[in-house]
């Protein structure tokens, strides 16, 4: 049986334009100040159009192009004037009445009833109508550039009704006059208007004066070619954008038009080892007009610590955020920015190693954060992910492993605190062992990430366990005929007897160095576990963590030998206990783990020991 033919009915969806203003107000309320951006953009466009007609010789006059904004606080009127292309009566009817209203209809259809918050308007041809967010009456006085045109005056109170008549106007161009509403008294303020102009229009490439002072003197240098700019230009621009910041470390000038149109300058600020990615440091522009500093969807999170401007003319910036997230262009843009940042770092690492290393201390947390949170960036960053070595140079993981594979294959020793771990560092250096510094906030996470990326490679802090390389394995211990014990066994017994602290294990090793008497160690795994649990447990002061710990006594040290001799003569002697306790306290102290409450006893004991010097 043939299908019944579907019945098609055609018609117009009717949207009541009377409803437009409440909708505009509702959707845009949080960003009311954008009306000024829209009107100044229109003024700029009008001038740009006339400039274009000059090029094609359709317009042969000469004008000193400018946009003028005037506020009359008494009359509560704000006037935005340009000396651009102007409009004839027909054009006003066409562009203002028809186009704008059809744009408004489209907007209404799209969003009425929806629950998503639209951030901004614009492409709907609604820009002009945003004036009604702050004005209950808007007038246009305009004179077209066309010869023998008559000036036109249009006015509307924001309904579908409007009035249009001929009028007098001396100069070609357009004045938009807003009669501010009672609830828009905040815009009846010189300060407010100037700040709003600065916020949105600082880089519009036509001079804008407000009450006779120019508001846009800084050039949008990101649109210039990088070769035409000097370092000082970039620094001046940075100062303009972020007047209270220190000088940036370096910057990246993005300037591409294929496969997407994208320009901007991103500065690496001095991070001072901490960063807050919720801060808004990147300003987003669309053709030099400020749009937002809310770029979360446009750039990867880890890049939000950078400061600067991004200009993306092709992105539909004016629609809602959820729409942005699904836009393939937006994702492409994010990838491009990220790649440019990686490229710049790669280039700097290659061409100016000294500068790169100099800045590395500042930027490494950022690069590591990026590498952890974004696999693509990790791949791009692999070559310039460097680590400061105890050998006083910077190394990559690969180079470190290669250099040390004879001594300790697939094991990377690291230091997280140069002062607390200084005695271990000494030992390491003496033994010709190499460790790398991993001391930024993000490193404990980063270590895990690296272990995941380098199968079989293990990171070990230099104070965790005693490296087999530090123990003198060649030394054979003689068993004492009288006691039937080795020296180490005797020392261990003495320490165990005299140090009975909860969670403490005593271990005796013959270290290659004679200087160090004892040190505290915590196994790498144990320490990581404890660090993790400390992160989730509040009020843990770190001391708790140390309950399980090991004192390694160096049987090779002079003090250990002295203790052994003394204990053999007088096992219960006061001196023996005192020395054991002191070695333990010193080991704790050098790791920054000696509690303050123990300090008086420590000092008292130290004084006693000093008194024993002959
Ligand atoms: P859009 O700028 O997205 O086209 P608008 O609502 O802002 O939408 O403006 C509608 C149209 O009105 C513009 O495209 C332009 O043709 C005309 N127009 C607005 N302001 C001016 C102006 N100052 N001078 C000349 N034409 C203007
Ligand atoms: Mg517009």
């Amino acid at each position: 049986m043939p299908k019944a033919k579907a019945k098609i009915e055609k018609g117009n969806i009717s949207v009541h334009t009377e409803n437009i203003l409440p909708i505009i107000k509702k959707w845009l309320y949080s960003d009311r100040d954008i009306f000024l951006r829209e009107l100044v953009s229109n003024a700029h466009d009008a001038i740009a159009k006339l400039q274009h007609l000059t090029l094609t010789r359709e317009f042969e006059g000469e004008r000193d192009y400018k946009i003028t904004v005037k506020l009359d606080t008494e009359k509560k009127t704000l006037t935005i004037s340009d000396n651009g292309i102007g409009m004839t009566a027909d054009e006003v009817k066409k562009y203002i009445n028809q186009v704008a209203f059809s744009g408004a209809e489209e907007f209404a259809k799209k969003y009425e009833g929806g629950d998503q918050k639209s951030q901004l308007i614009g492409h709907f041809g609604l820009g002009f109508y945003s004036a009604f967010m702050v004005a209950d009456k808007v007038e246009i006085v305009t004179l077209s550039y066309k010869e023998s045109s008559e000036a036109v005056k249009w006015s509307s109170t924001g309904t579908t009704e409007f009035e249009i008549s001929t009028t007098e106007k001396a100069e070609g161009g357009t004045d938009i006059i807003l009669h501010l509403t009672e609830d828009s008294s905040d815009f009846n303020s010189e300060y407010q208007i100037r700040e709003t102009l600065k916020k949105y229009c600082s880089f519009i490439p036509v001079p804008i004066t407000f009450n006779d002072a120019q508001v846009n003197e800084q050039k949008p240098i990101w649109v210039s070619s990088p070769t035409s700019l000097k370092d000082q230009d970039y620094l001046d621009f940075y100062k303009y954008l972020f007047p209270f910041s220190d000088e940036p470390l370096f910057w990246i000038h993005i300037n591409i038009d294929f496969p997407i149109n994208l320009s901007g300058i991103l500065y690496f600020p001095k991070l001072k080892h901490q960063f807050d990615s919720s801060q808004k440091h990147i300003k987003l522009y669309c053709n030099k007009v400020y749009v937002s500093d809310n770029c979360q969807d446009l750039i990867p999170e880890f890049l939000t610590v950078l400061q600067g401007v991004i200009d993306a003319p092709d992105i539909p910036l004016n629609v809602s955020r959820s729409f942005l997230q699904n836009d393939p262009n937006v994702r492409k843009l994010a990838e491009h920015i990220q790649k440019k940042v990686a490229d710049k770092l790669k280039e700097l690492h290659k061409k100016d190693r000294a500068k790169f290393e100099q800045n590395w201390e500042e930027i490494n947390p950022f690069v590591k954060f990026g590498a952890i949170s974004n696999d693509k960036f990790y791949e791009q960053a692999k070559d310039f992910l460097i680590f400061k070595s105890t050998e006083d140079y910077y190394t990559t993981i690969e180079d470190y492993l290669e250099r040390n594979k004879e001594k300790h294959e697939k094991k990377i020793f690291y230091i997280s605190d140069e002062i607390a771990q200084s005695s271990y560092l000494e030992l390491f250096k003496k033994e010709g062992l190499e460790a790398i510094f991993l001391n930024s906030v993000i490193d404990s996470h980063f270590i895990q990430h690296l272990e995941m990326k380098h199968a079989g490679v293990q990171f070990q802090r230099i104070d965790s366990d005693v490296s087999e390389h530090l123990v003198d394995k060649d030394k054979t211990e003689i068993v004492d005929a009288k006691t039937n014990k080795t020296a180490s066994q005797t020392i261990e017994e003495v320490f165990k007897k005299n140090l009975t602290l909860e969670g403490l294990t005593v271990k005796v090793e013959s270290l290659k160095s004679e200087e160090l008497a004892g040190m505290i160690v915590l196994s790498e795994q144990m320490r990581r576990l404890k660090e993790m649990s400390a992160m989730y447990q509040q009020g843990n002061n770190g001391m708790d963590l140390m309950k399980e710990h090991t004192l390694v006594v160096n049987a090779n040290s002079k003090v250990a030998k002295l203790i052994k001799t003394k204990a053999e003569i007088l096992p219960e002697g006061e001196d023996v206990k005192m020395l054991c306790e002191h070695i333990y306290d010193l080991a704790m102290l050098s790791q920054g783990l000696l509690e303050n409450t123990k300090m008086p006893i420590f000092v008292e004991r130290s004084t006693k020991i000093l008194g024993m010097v002959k």
Side-chain angles (χ1 to χ4, degrees):
M1 213 173 85
K3 269 189 184 167
K5 225 177 176 187
K7 208 170 143 196
I8 297 170
E9 208 178 289
K10 284 189 181 168
N12 287 319
I13 298 168
S14 72
V15 172
H16 297 287
T17 32
E18 290 85 347
N19 292 338
I20 290 300
L21 290 171
I23 292 170
I24 292 178
K25 282 187 182 175
K26 183 178 148 206
W27 287 104
L28 295 180
Y29 199 72
S30 61
D31 277 320
R32 258 180 346 144
D33 59 357
I34 64 137
F35 80 91
L36 201 51
R37 177 192 84 186
E38 293 299 328
L39 296 179
V40 174
S41 300
N42 284 353
H44 164 265
D45 290 351
I47 288 170
K49 283 174 192 164
L50 194 57
Q51 282 170 329
H52 181 75
L53 293 180
T54 311
L55 288 180
T56 59
R57 299 197 174 260
E58 283 163 80
F59 175 65
E60 306 220 297
E62 258 178 53
R63 283 182 195 175
D64 192 6
Y65 292 114
K66 59 179 192 289
I67 296 167
T68 314
V69 180
K70 281 214 158 80
L71 178 70
D72 185 329
T73 46
E74 300 244 309
K75 287 192 189 141
K76 296 181 188 159
T77 57
L78 181 68
T79 307
I80 295 105
S81 309
D82 65 72
N83 52 0
I85 194 166
M87 285 178 277
T88 61
D90 284 347
E91 284 166 341
V92 170
K93 283 179 200 156
K94 187 169 159 202
Y95 296 134
I96 299 296
N97 295 340
Q98 276 177 30
V99 174
F101 270 106
S102 69
E105 282 189 12
E106 195 184 320
F107 178 76
K109 269 187 259 169
K110 205 158 177 159
Y111 288 109
E112 204 177 20
D115 61 357
Q116 61 207 116
K117 269 254 177 303
S118 160
Q119 301 264 318
L120 308 155
I121 281 193
H123 282 254
F124 295 98
L126 258 188
F128 172 75
Y129 278 89
S130 63
F132 286 102
M133 289 195 293
V134 296
D136 43 22
K137 182 178 173 191
V138 178
E139 292 169 287
I140 303 175
V141 177
T142 181
L143 176 63
S144 166
Y145 77 99
K146 289 175 188 154
E147 263 171 55
S148 67
S149 337
E150 259 187 311
V152 181
K153 180 174 173 170
W154 174 97
S155 83
S156 167
T157 51
T159 62
T160 40
E161 281 166 20
F162 62 89
E163 277 173 24
I164 192 163
S165 58
T166 53
T167 187
E168 291 295 310
K169 190 176 188 314
E171 224 201 336
T174 304
D175 301 332
I176 309 286
I177 304 143
L178 312 186
H179 297 262
L180 299 170
T181 61
E182 285 303 320
D183 19 321
S184 298
S185 55
D186 46 335
F187 287 106
N188 193 22
S189 135
E190 237 185 82
Y191 175 80
Q192 179 70 31
I193 296 294
R194 180 168 295 115
E195 289 308 303
T196 309
L197 283 169
K198 277 191 190 157
K199 174 175 164 191
Y200 289 110
C201 309
S202 277
F203 299 113
I204 288 182
V206 172
I208 302 170
T209 53
F210 172 56
N211 286 3
D212 299 323
Q214 189 169 342
V215 291
N216 60 338
E217 273 164 317
Q218 174 65 47
K219 290 217 156 53
I221 66 163
W222 68 87
V223 296
S224 312
S225 115
T227 48
S228 70
L229 296 167
K230 295 190 175 63
D231 283 0
Q232 198 54 46
D233 297 324
Y234 288 103
L235 292 170
D236 289 347
F237 188 60
Y238 184 79
K239 263 242 125 51
Y240 177 84
L241 292 173
F242 306 100
F244 303 109
S245 295
D246 291 342
E247 254 187 30
L249 298 171
F250 50 88
W251 50 85
I252 298 165
H253 190 159
I254 301 172
N255 202 338
I256 50 174
D257 36 41
F258 184 81
I260 45 169
N261 209 336
L262 173 69
S263 58
I265 300 171
L266 294 175
Y267 293 90
F268 273 81
K270 292 209 168 105
L271 291 171
K272 300 188 180 104
H273 283 287
Q274 46 156 354
F275 48 86
D276 174 5
S277 54
S278 67
Q279 288 258 24
K280 292 168 178 175
H281 295 311
I282 299 180
K283 297 177 188 218
L284 192 63
Y285 289 78
C286 183
N287 266 331
K288 305 181 206 86
V289 178
Y290 173 76
V291 175
S292 160
D293 56 11
N294 197 344
C295 306
Q296 282 144 305
D297 300 325
L298 282 179
I299 52 176
E301 192 198 355
F302 75 96
L303 289 180
T304 54
V305 298
L306 303 183
Q307 298 178 307
V309 298
I310 288 288
D311 196 329
D314 298 339
I315 294 293
L317 299 165
N318 316 40
V319 283
S320 71
R321 293 229 352 240
S322 51
F323 186 79
L324 259 191
Q325 280 164 342
N326 298 326
D327 189 294
N329 270 330
V330 171
R331 256 177 285 132
K332 235 186 274 166
L333 191 83
E335 259 168 43
H336 267 90
I337 295 174
Q338 179 179 312
K339 186 172 177 305
K340 282 281 157 188
V341 171
D343 284 350
K344 172 74 185 189
L345 290 170
K346 211 181 276 179
E347 179 198 301
L348 208 60
H349 178 245
K350 211 168 166 186
K351 287 200 189 137
D352 196 347
R353 189 66 56 96
K355 185 176 178 185
F356 186 83
E357 289 177 352
Q358 198 186 323
N359 289 326
W360 182 246
E361 291 309 312
E362 299 263 3
I363 66 168
N364 82 76
F366 154 83
V367 175
K368 289 167 181 171
F369 179 41
I372 293 174
S373 56
N374 191 309
D375 225 31
K376 251 195 187 145
F377 187 73
Y378 173 78
E379 290 303 321
Q380 289 159 335
K382 261 198 316 207
D383 298 347
F384 57 79
L385 262 170
I386 54 170
F387 301 86
K388 191 165 185 214
S389 152
T390 47
E391 299 293 305
D392 271 334
Y393 47 66
Y394 282 87
T395 178
T396 60
I397 292 289
E398 280 73 17
D399 289 349
Y400 176 95
L401 288 169
E402 182 59 30
R403 237 188 343 267
N404 294 294
K405 70 174 179 210
E406 307 272 286
K407 290 184 189 160
H408 44 89
E409 202 175 8
K410 294 204 159 191
K411 189 176 266 182
I412 297 171
F413 290 109
Y414 69 97
I415 307 178
S416 61
D417 186 334
E418 200 173 349
I419 293 168
Q421 291 147 26
S422 63
S423 40
Y424 310 88
L425 181 56
E426 281 296 300
L427 277 178
F428 256 68
K429 281 194 172 159
K430 241 181 218 157
E431 283 314 311
L433 292 175
E434 184 187 359
I436 55 175
F437 288 90
L438 282 171
N439 48 10
S440 69
V441 280
I442 198 165
D443 278 333
S444 59
H445 297 283
F446 192 54
I447 287 168
Q448 293 182 23
H449 190 75
L450 288 172
E451 283 178 341
M452 201 178 76
K453 290 282 173 193
H454 296 82
V457 170
Q458 237 198 355
F459 280 73
Q460 191 173 319
R461 206 163 91 178
I462 57 168
D463 60 345
S464 45
D465 299 334
V466 180
S467 161
E468 50 188 299
H469 305 282
L470 299 177
V471 177
D472 198 350
K473 276 180 281 179
D474 300 337
K475 199 174 163 170
T476 42
E477 291 221 68
I478 309 155
V479 179
D480 191 307
K482 257 196 281 167
T483 56
N484 209 15
K485 283 172 203 152
T486 64
S488 292
Q489 282 167 334
T490 310
I491 293 169
E492 190 170 326
E493 256 175 35
V494 176
F495 271 86
K496 279 189 174 152
K497 201 168 103 194
N498 287 295
L499 290 176
T500 49
L501 281 126
E502 201 197 329
L504 174 69
T505 311
V506 178
K507 216 166 138 185
V508 180
E509 300 274 7
S510 281
L511 301 184
K512 286 180 187 168
S513 157
E514 286 184 7
E515 263 102 292
L516 191 72
M519 57 192 195
I520 303 290
V521 296
L522 199 58
S523 85
E524 179 75 17
Q525 295 317 325
M526 186 72 112
R527 203 199 60 248
R528 284 196 203 178
L529 261 172
K530 290 182 179 232
E531 276 173 359
M532 283 238 293
S533 70
M535 264 188 354
Y536 298 109
Q537 252 170 279
Q538 285 202 331
N540 201 327
N541 61 8
M543 285 304 161
D544 249 273
L545 288 182
M546 285 307 299
K547 266 203 175 143
E548 297 286 330
H549 59 306
T550 303
L551 172 69
V552 175
V553 180
N554 180 10
N556 229 2
S557 67
K558 282 190 192 142
V559 204
K561 285 175 185 163
L562 178 70
I563 290 174
K564 182 182 160 272
T565 320
K566 276 182 177 275
E568 276 163 0
I569 301 165
L570 199 62
E572 305 298 325
E574 176 79 0
D575 289 2
V576 174
K577 187 171 179 60
M578 196 162 73
L579 289 173
C580 291
E581 281 173 348
H582 215 59
I583 288 174
Y584 172 75
D585 279 0
L586 281 172
M588 290 291 276
L589 186 69
S590 72
Q591 278 248 53
L593 292 166
L594 189 72
E595 285 171 68
N596 277 342
T597 52
K598 301 247 173 83
M599 203 46 100
I601 302 173
F602 176 77
V603 172
E604 200 182 303
R605 198 190 312 111
S606 301
T607 316
K608 246 190 219 169
I609 292 172
L610 285 175
M612 286 158 65
V613 178
K614 287 193 192 101

